[in-house]
């Protein structure tokens, strides 16, 4: 078996990569939507990542995707996803791919790496056997927009707290809100074991640029008081599968909590999407299992629990070497 780097994957290599993902999905996640070939292609061609494939007898049997957010040496964890064909597991392929990815993250100056995997899948024992520790449990929720009465959404939007106003934008944050949004994103630090990393206006713009390069659309609704953002919510609508949007970050700054700002901005987002993107039928999201306030907000709005995933983290120094 050989492991090869795919710095600029050709169309045929992308198809073979997607076949590995599809086979792993069919075995481990058959109740979840199948991976989309166009989304796979867009992701593999996006900047800020390295790719390796395990090839045996001319067949691609495993893949590793290492995402490197920020510039080289950025003080942020790398993100990894390793998939092996079900009929080729327990033969050291995943470990070999992990070793290549570990060398890649060390060369980039990264000191840690995170992986998000679904509970109950073979990825859990694999990660734990290589020193990864679970730092976050996430509950997957799904909202069907047809289940939320239009009148209910209008009432929630109309009942916003006094002294605040709603602002909306599509794509990158306007210059007058970029720094305020970065400050508001620090409010998520108490919901994650590794999100204490600094947010600034450049990082906010970088995230929006990554979404745009995939061809997707980022929508943001924020509650503003004075020049500051008290709370916000973000939703991404995929170019390839717009019927199911993805909830990105939602947060309320600590000193503004207890005023139902979270459900206010989320209701305003639903109202906006219904008007601007009527093809969106569902919104999926993940919530930290101990973030009881946001779970309550989502369930009041109509989100229903679908799955559980976990975030694992490891030190790059502790991972296998080549």
């Amino acid at each position: 078996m050989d492991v090869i780097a795919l710095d600029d994957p050709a169309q045929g290599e992308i198809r073979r990569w997607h076949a590995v993902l599809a086979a792993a999905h069919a075995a481990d996640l058959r109740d979840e939507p199948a991976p989309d070939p166009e989304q796979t292609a867009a992701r593999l061609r996006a900047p800020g990542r390295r790719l390796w494939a395990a090839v045996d007898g001319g067949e691609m049997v495993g893949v590793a995707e290492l995402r490197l957010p920020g510039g080289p040496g950025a003080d942020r964890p790398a993100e990894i996803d390793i998939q092996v064909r079900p009929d080729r597991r327990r033969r050291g392929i995943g470990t070999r791919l992990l070793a290549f990815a570990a060398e890649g993250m060390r060369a980039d100056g990264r000191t840690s790496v995170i992986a998000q995997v679904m509970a109950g899948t073979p990825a859990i024992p694999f990660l734990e056997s290589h020193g990864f520790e679970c730092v976050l449990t996430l509950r997957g929720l799904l909202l069907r927009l047809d289940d939320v009465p239009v009148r209910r959404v209008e009432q929630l939007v109309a009942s916003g707290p006094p002294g605040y106003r709603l602002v909306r934008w599509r794509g990158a944050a306007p210059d007058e809100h970029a720094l305020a949004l970065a400050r508001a994103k620090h409010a998520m630090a108490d919901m994650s074991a590794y999100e204490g990393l600094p947010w600034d206006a450049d990082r906010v713009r970088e995230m929006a640029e990554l979404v745009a390069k995939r061809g997707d659309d980022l929508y943001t609704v924020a509650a503003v008081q004075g020049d500051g953002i008290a709370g916000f919510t973000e939703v991404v609508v995929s170019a390839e599968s717009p019927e199911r949007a993805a909830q990105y970050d939602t947060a309320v700054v600590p000193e503004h909590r207890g005023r139902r700002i979270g459900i206010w901005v989320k209701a305003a987002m639903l109202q906006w999407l219904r008007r601007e993107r009527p093809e969106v039928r569902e919104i999926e999201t993940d919530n930290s299992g101990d973030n009881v306030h946001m779970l309550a907000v989502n369930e009041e709005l109509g989100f229903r629990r679908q799955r559980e995933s976990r975030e694992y983290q490891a030190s790059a120094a502790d991972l296998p070497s080549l």
Side-chain angles (χ1 to χ4, degrees):
M1 181 196 71
D2 296 319
V3 174
I4 59 174
L6 299 178
D7 296 327
D8 185 18
Q11 188 61 40
E13 291 168 327
I14 292 174
R15 284 197 300 268
R16 295 163 68 199
W17 184 295
H18 183 77
V20 174
L21 301 187
H25 178 277
D28 304 333
L29 301 168
R30 61 186 65 185
D31 293 331
E32 294 291 315
D36 180 84
E38 295 300 324
Q39 289 182 341
T40 299
R43 193 179 72 249
L44 297 185
R45 288 171 173 153
R49 64 198 62 215
R50 296 193 62 190
L51 310 171
W52 293 269
V55 180
D56 189 16
E59 179 187 19
M60 192 176 291
V61 296
V63 295
E65 176 185 355
L66 180 68
R67 294 176 289 277
L68 299 165
D75 187 20
R76 293 161 62 181
E79 303 167 7
I80 194 167
D81 180 57
I82 295 175
Q83 301 288 342
V84 177
R85 293 187 65 93
D87 59 339
R88 304 301 295 268
R89 291 172 179 170
R90 298 185 177 277
R91 303 184 190 184
I93 296 172
T95 299
R96 185 75 170 154
L97 286 166
L98 179 60
F100 273 85
E103 291 299 321
M105 68 183 74
R106 294 183 194 116
D108 195 68
R110 308 291 168 139
T111 59
S112 66
V113 60
I114 58 175
Q116 181 172 328
V117 295
M118 297 297 292
T121 64
I124 300 291
F126 171 78
L127 292 173
E128 292 179 346
S129 71
H130 288 93
F132 282 77
E133 296 183 356
C134 182
V135 296
L136 191 64
T137 298
L138 296 166
R139 292 177 181 171
L141 308 176
L142 185 69
L143 176 69
R144 293 183 173 87
L145 271 64
D146 287 344
D147 294 341
V148 186
V150 173
R151 180 59 178 162
R152 170 65 174 153
V153 172
E154 292 174 346
Q155 289 172 340
L156 288 170
V157 174
S159 63
Y164 298 85
R165 59 188 175 89
L166 291 171
V167 296
R168 304 171 176 84
W169 63 82
R170 179 176 174 177
D175 289 344
E176 64 267 29
H177 295 305
L179 182 57
L181 179 62
R183 290 170 176 163
K185 280 180 175 279
H186 283 295
M188 295 181 294
D190 58 0
M191 294 181 275
S192 168
Y194 50 80
E195 270 291 353
L197 301 166
W199 277 95
D200 56 22
D202 288 338
R203 186 178 172 192
V204 166
R205 295 187 184 99
E206 174 198 325
M207 188 274 283
E209 288 170 0
L210 288 175
V211 172
K213 286 177 180 177
R214 296 199 309 260
D216 300 339
D217 291 318
L218 171 65
Y219 294 84
T220 304
V221 174
V224 174
Q225 185 184 67
D227 295 329
I229 290 178
F232 70 94
T233 189
E234 299 168 329
V235 166
V236 169
V237 179
S238 164
E240 300 299 331
S241 303
E243 64 279 358
R244 177 176 284 194
Q247 176 77 65
Y248 272 38
D249 293 336
T250 298
V252 178
V253 177
E255 57 265 32
H256 296 279
R257 292 174 184 169
R259 303 173 194 180
R260 293 179 60 79
I261 289 175
I263 200 167
W264 186 38
V265 294
K266 280 178 168 283
M269 177 66 77
L270 292 184
Q271 188 180 64
W272 190 21
L273 289 177
R274 277 176 164 163
R275 183 176 65 248
E276 297 293 326
R277 301 298 298 265
E279 66 272 34
V280 175
R281 311 309 305 164
E282 299 174 326
I283 299 175
E284 60 181 353
T285 187
D286 288 305
N287 278 142
S288 169
D290 58 3
N291 186 5
V292 294
H293 298 296
M294 193 55 66
L295 281 168
V297 165
N298 281 330
E299 291 179 0
E300 180 182 346
L301 200 56
F303 281 87
R304 296 294 175 258
R305 301 185 187 189
Q306 299 287 314
R307 64 186 185 278
E308 181 179 297
S309 62
R310 298 177 186 174
E311 299 275 11
Y312 277 81
Q313 188 168 20
S315 168
D318 294 337
L319 296 180
S321 299
L322 295 175

